[in-house]
Amino acid sequence: MNERSYDVIVLGAGPAGEVCAGQLADGGLAVAIAERHLIGGECSYYACMPSKALLRPADVLAEAQRIPGVAVGDDLDAQAVLDRRDEVIHDGDDSGQLPWLEERGIDLYRGDAKLAGELEVKVDDQLLKARRAVVVATGSGAAMPPIDGIDSVQSWNNRQATTAKRVPESMVVLGGGPVGSELSQAWASLGTKVTLVEGGEHLLSREEPFAGEEVATALRERFGVDVRTGLKAERVEAGGPGVIVHLSDGSRAEGAELLLAVGRSPNTRDLDLAAAGVEADEHGFLATDSRLRVGGRDWLYAIGDVNGRALFTHVGKYQAWVAAENLLGRSAEASAEGIGSPRVTFTDPQVAAVGKTLAQAREAGLDARAIDVPTDGSPGASFQGKDTGGTSRIVVDEGSGTIVGATFTGFETADFLQAATVAIVGAVPLARLRHAIAPYPSRSEIWLKLLEKYES
């Protein structure tokens, strides 16, 4: 078996792994990165990027139709949308990612990486030895729900749903979280008859209840999605146009395709953790300390989805920075996940949130108060997203006089989020925040509306 040595070996070349490897290499360390599939990872080819490419055309069309004097049609060109999606994901070709690694002197090993012992990694027939550390950044895959009959039918996960080459006639989507909600809208906008089933009372169950309710209303009224909440899938069988899903109230949902969007599972099963004396938790995640070390081991780090702290691409990049700082001798600790990571669901209305919900703040023992205003109530909303509704909320801790959570629903609210994130992370007192003037007539004046209502 061939042997090579490096300062640090990174397992997984998704966003977290790439960022960590790049920062370590820029810091002067010899770095190897192992990847069994595509450089750039799930987000680039099967999740964030293709899903947004599928969603964006309907958003643009709807906004154009709201503006007098702009001549537009009523329908999307589905094939053109799919073609553009393929451009965004480079038709599954990651060769454009290689120069970034090469410029930094990072050696790439393509193959199945496994731990072979402390500071040792095996990639097929190559043994790699690390002088300082191994960083696990292998991400996650779609979870398979324990539903009777699920193995007897063909189903889609996010990979098939974001890369399909044709528009299916009908689809049943199980799971009303961000993935299920976004892809229900995307395919419905292209002509698919969609039934969305969510076991909880609301879509987007981890967000403020009003967010899921507003998204459900839009899916029903604007996109024709049959949204069914409070129901669980009890049995699946082949039949009808393709698949029949029997639900807990005795009804059933039928579709040519079945999309499973019920959560994520960490990619740790094939790492041979036992060879290095490492154990995952009951769900397969690698528990880490604030420096992202696994079990306090100075030689083993876990970043991104694989540690289960917060399964977002941007959090993985943040954790990559934390791990790299520590490995380069500059102490850093991950705290953003505990504060409440920023997150966006790119439906229309968009749902952008950071920090705690009102319920979470009160459960944490805070004297929490919610301030709500209409998202389309600012002067700037006369020009962008006119009459699209939505709710903007800040959650205030009256004890400290600071914001501990924020949620914005409505037209293109994602870019409202960074100001809220800075205010929360910086624990900026509202009395001080009142001096952060929002320019007129911009949609960011929503902050003025929120603060005025807080003071009233």
Side-chain angles (χ1 to χ4, degrees):
M1 180 176 290
N2 297 322
E3 293 187 13
R4 292 286 303 277
S5 295
Y6 297 89
D7 291 318
V8 179
I9 301 166
V10 179
L11 310 186
E18 272 194 309
V19 168
C20 187
Q23 293 191 357
L24 292 171
D26 289 344
L29 299 187
V31 182
I33 193 166
E35 174 56 54
R36 65 180 179 182
H37 191 37
L38 296 173
I39 310 303
E42 192 86 355
C43 181
S44 297
Y45 301 97
Y46 304 110
C48 309
M49 298 304 289
S51 63
K52 307 315 170 273
L54 294 172
L55 286 161
R56 184 61 176 165
D59 293 347
V60 173
L61 177 61
E63 177 67 353
Q65 290 171 334
R66 287 190 283 265
I67 302 175
V70 179
V72 294
D74 295 323
D75 300 313
L76 296 174
D77 182 336
Q79 189 57 54
V81 172
L82 297 181
D83 290 345
R84 171 58 182 154
R85 182 272 322 272
D86 289 342
E87 290 180 9
V88 168
I89 63 174
H90 304 287
D91 291 308
D93 178 6
D94 67 355
S95 58
Q97 301 277 67
L98 297 180
W100 191 89
L101 297 176
E102 293 166 355
E103 289 167 7
R104 287 159 178 78
I106 299 170
D107 286 348
L108 169 64
Y109 292 85
R110 291 189 183 268
D112 291 316
K114 301 178 185 295
L115 295 177
E118 184 172 323
L119 292 169
E120 293 187 346
V121 172
K122 185 165 61 176
V123 185
D124 296 333
D125 62 350
Q126 183 82 46
L127 180 63
L128 307 180
K129 293 188 176 183
R131 291 183 284 270
R132 294 196 185 185
V134 174
V135 179
V136 180
T138 47
S140 65
M144 178 70 75
I147 301 172
D148 184 28
I150 197 72
D151 294 330
S152 68
V153 299
Q154 289 189 332
S155 61
W156 284 3
N157 58 31
N158 65 287
R159 289 196 171 195
Q160 291 80 31
T162 56
T163 60
K165 298 295 187 181
R166 58 176 180 79
V167 178
E169 181 179 341
S170 57
M171 179 187 301
V172 178
V173 179
L174 298 184
V179 173
S181 297
E182 287 186 355
L183 292 175
S184 290
Q185 177 182 314
W187 287 110
S189 74
L190 296 177
T192 301
K193 180 181 178 181
V194 178
T195 301
L196 172 58
V197 180
E198 164 58 37
E201 185 179 353
H202 305 285
L203 301 184
L204 306 178
S205 60
R206 297 183 181 180
E207 305 299 348
E208 299 280 9
F210 68 78
E213 292 170 359
E214 291 179 19
V215 170
T217 297
L219 288 175
R220 290 184 181 112
E221 296 181 357
R222 289 188 48 215
F223 298 97
V225 176
D226 180 3
V227 180
R228 307 187 196 181
T229 56
L231 298 176
K232 297 187 181 299
E234 295 188 334
R235 183 166 58 88
V236 175
E237 64 179 345
V243 177
I244 300 173
V245 181
H246 296 268
L247 304 176
S248 54
D249 66 345
S251 66
R252 64 189 206 177
E254 300 183 6
E257 302 292 349
L258 173 64
L259 168 57
L260 305 178
V262 294
R264 306 288 293 177
S265 178
N267 293 327
T268 56
R269 181 176 300 176
D270 298 328
L271 290 178
D272 198 4
L273 299 174
V278 178
E279 291 185 2
D281 69 15
E282 60 181 327
H283 304 293
F285 292 105
L286 293 172
T288 61
D289 62 15
S290 62
R291 291 168 56 186
L292 287 314
R293 298 176 304 176
V294 179
R297 299 172 178 85
D298 288 328
W299 71 270
L300 185 63
Y301 289 70
I303 60 175
D305 285 9
V306 76
N307 63 33
R309 294 168 69 102
L311 278 64
F312 302 105
T313 297
H314 43 281
V315 173
K317 292 181 177 182
Y318 162 75
Q319 293 177 356
W321 166 75
V322 171
E325 286 292 286
N326 282 289
L327 286 168
L328 290 169
R330 300 187 289 264
S331 180
E333 295 186 357
S335 60
E337 307 93 329
I339 295 170
S341 304
R343 60 256 180 208
V344 182
T345 301
F346 286 86
T347 45
D348 188 6
Q350 284 184 358
V351 178
V354 62
K356 295 175 173 60
T357 63
L358 178 61
Q360 290 167 347
R362 288 176 173 170
E363 288 170 4
L366 301 179
D367 180 13
R369 172 186 170 196
I371 308 298
D372 296 349
V373 299
T375 300
D376 63 353
S378 68
S382 298
F383 313 111
Q384 294 176 283
K386 182 175 175 57
D387 297 325
T388 53
T391 303
S392 290
R393 166 176 288 186
I394 55 174
V395 178
V396 178
D397 172 17
E398 296 283 40
S400 63
T402 61
I403 298 171
V404 295
T407 300
F408 305 94
T409 67
F411 175 74
E412 295 190 352
T413 58
D415 288 333
F416 288 174
L417 204 54
Q418 188 63 5
T421 302
V422 171
I424 292 170
V425 172
V428 181
L430 270 73
R432 181 67 175 169
L433 196 61
R434 192 63 174 82
H435 296 282
I437 302 172
Y440 179 91
S442 71
R443 295 174 72 231
S444 63
E445 274 198 304
I446 198 67
W447 281 97
L448 174 61
K449 301 294 184 182
L450 286 163
L451 295 174
E452 286 178 338
K453 187 169 182 180
Y454 173 72
E455 295 168 342
S456 65

